[in-house]
């Protein structure tokens, strides 16, 4: 939702990068702008952020094992 993050996503798109976004359950504008949106479950910000940490580590592990 932050303007600077959405701007960074726009710049990445122009430069030809793929965009992966970790978002809240509903996704919002970031999900609309991303090539892939991973919508973490959670009722509040703290729960969503805790799930983002788990997802981040899983993505890093998958990337490093290739």
């Amino acid at each position: 939702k932050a303007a600077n993050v959405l701007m960074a996503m726009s710049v990445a798109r122009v430069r030809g990068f793929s965009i992966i976004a970790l978002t809240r359950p509903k996704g919002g504008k970031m999900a609309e702008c991303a090539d892939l949106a991973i919508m973490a479950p959670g009722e509040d910000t703290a729960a969503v952020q805790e799930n983002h940490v788990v997802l981040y580590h899983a993505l890093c592990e998958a990337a490093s094992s290739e």
Side-chain angles (χ1 to χ4, degrees):
K1 193 154 118 173
N4 61 333
V5 174
L6 295 172
M7 178 60 74
M9 292 173 79
S10 296
V11 170
R13 168 99 39 236
V14 168
R15 293 185 179 183
F17 289 94
S18 296
I19 302 167
I20 300 172
L22 297 178
T23 70
R24 299 182 68 85
K26 293 183 181 176
K29 295 247 185 229
M30 281 182 61
E32 293 171 14
C33 295
D35 296 302
L36 172 64
I38 302 172
M39 298 176 206
E43 296 296 318
D44 57 38
T45 300
V48 171
Q49 289 175 345
E50 287 176 16
N51 287 318
H52 283 172
V53 171
V54 173
L55 289 166
Y56 175 74
H57 285 288
L59 289 169
C60 288
E61 179 65 30
S64 67
S65 67
E66 286 191 18

